[in-house]
Amino acid sequence: MKAILVIGHSHMNALRAVPQAQQACDFMPFTEAGGAYQSRDPAEFKAMAAGPADTLVFMMGGKTHIALGMLNPPEPFDFYLPEHTDLPMNPAARLLPVDLVRILLTRHLKQDLACLGQLSAVFKGRRQLHIESPPPLPSEYIERHPSGFAERVRERGVAPAAFRHKFWLLHSAILRDHCATLGITFVARPAGTQDADGCLAAPYQREDPTHANQAYGALLLDQILSLRQGAPAP
């Protein structure tokens, strides 16, 4: 077993694709190849907690903002983020209070937040990090690479980039706040990985509507190793 243990969902695959990460990290995915959640026996984590890993890296909850915000909703709505009032609004959409949207997201994240709390307790005393999920993909890119979302993209269309960006920011804020209560260091996306619309920049895209590529994973590894060694994250 290795000194870094990564636990989470499918966006960990960007990190797993990096050869140096395979040398430095053990990986425990909660997501099967097809994207379905995979159940894990709590005894597995207790056994790993007795191992040599001194740093836990969580990559939880990445698909919630995608499931709720990637496609145009049946009844268009929008919301203001108080910290990001510069983001454009859809004038034809119903305006909802941001607190209501936060409740909706939190409800869908309930299982992931509870699991994060349980895992944090199992590995108490170790350095614990939570990696922010990658930014959303540009709208045109999703339309060209819809993958398993192809039928739904045809039926409903991809939501505007600003709407999806806000969903992702709010999703991250919920996880950041939860990590703060658990004593977990929340690690923001690497600098320079977003375009002018807040979407994942071209060098970090793969032919996939939801995930980042190996180049993005290499930046994540740099962050993890820097934090493990006590240096500032790049």
Side-chain angles (χ1 to χ4, degrees):
M1 293 181 65
K2 296 162 187 169
I4 301 171
L5 174 61
V6 184
I7 302 174
H9 296 127
S10 59
H11 52 292
M12 73 160 60
N13 289 333
L15 182 61
R16 292 177 82 178
V18 180
Q20 295 90 332
Q22 289 290 338
Q23 296 171 12
C25 309
D26 282 319
F27 293 89
M28 179 171 279
F30 272 107
T31 312
E32 297 172 342
Y37 273 24
Q38 180 179 7
S39 61
R40 287 288 191 181
D41 186 337
E44 288 185 83
F45 297 108
K46 291 182 180 178
M48 286 198 159
D54 59 33
T55 301
L56 273 292
V57 178
F58 299 114
M59 301 182 74
M60 306 288 289
K63 77 174 189 177
T64 305
H65 69 91
I66 295 168
L68 295 177
M70 190 175 83
L71 304 175
N72 288 312
E75 296 183 16
F77 69 91
D78 211 335
F79 57 98
Y80 281 111
L81 280 178
E83 305 85 357
H84 301 276
T85 55
D86 57 317
L87 293 177
M89 297 287 298
N90 179 357
R94 180 184 178 188
L95 181 62
L96 295 182
V98 65
D99 289 345
L100 182 60
V101 183
R102 186 182 181 106
I103 289 170
L104 172 66
L105 264 172
T106 303
R107 184 177 298 162
H108 282 265
L109 276 166
K110 182 178 179 180
Q111 179 180 348
D112 294 332
L113 296 177
C115 184
L116 187 57
Q118 293 164 1
L119 291 171
S120 180
V122 169
F123 292 96
K124 187 176 180 179
R126 316 290 177 92
R127 179 184 290 103
Q128 298 185 13
L129 313 174
H130 189 287
I131 306 297
E132 183 174 34
S133 60
L137 276 292
S139 301
E140 302 79 11
Y141 194 85
I142 296 172
E143 290 166 355
R144 293 200 307 271
H145 305 284
S147 187
F149 292 90
E151 183 175 347
R152 282 170 285 177
V153 166
R154 284 194 300 269
E155 291 175 352
R156 293 169 53 184
V158 178
F163 180 79
R164 295 184 292 108
H165 185 199
K166 282 183 278 190
F167 248 100
W168 172 73
L169 287 167
L170 187 55
H171 175 274
S172 292
I174 293 166
L175 279 162
R176 185 184 297 109
D177 291 348
H178 191 65
C179 286
T181 66
L182 297 172
I184 299 172
T185 300
F186 186 87
V187 183
R189 68 280 187 192
T193 56
Q194 292 173 271
D195 64 17
D197 295 321
C199 294
L200 189 66
Y204 308 106
Q205 298 166 2
R206 51 178 281 185
E207 292 187 6
D208 179 309
T210 60
H211 298 104
N213 64 14
Q214 180 178 336
Y216 189 88
L219 297 180
L220 297 183
L221 181 62
D222 288 344
Q223 288 183 309
I224 292 166
L225 295 178
S226 292
L227 286 167
R228 181 171 179 264
Q229 294 163 5

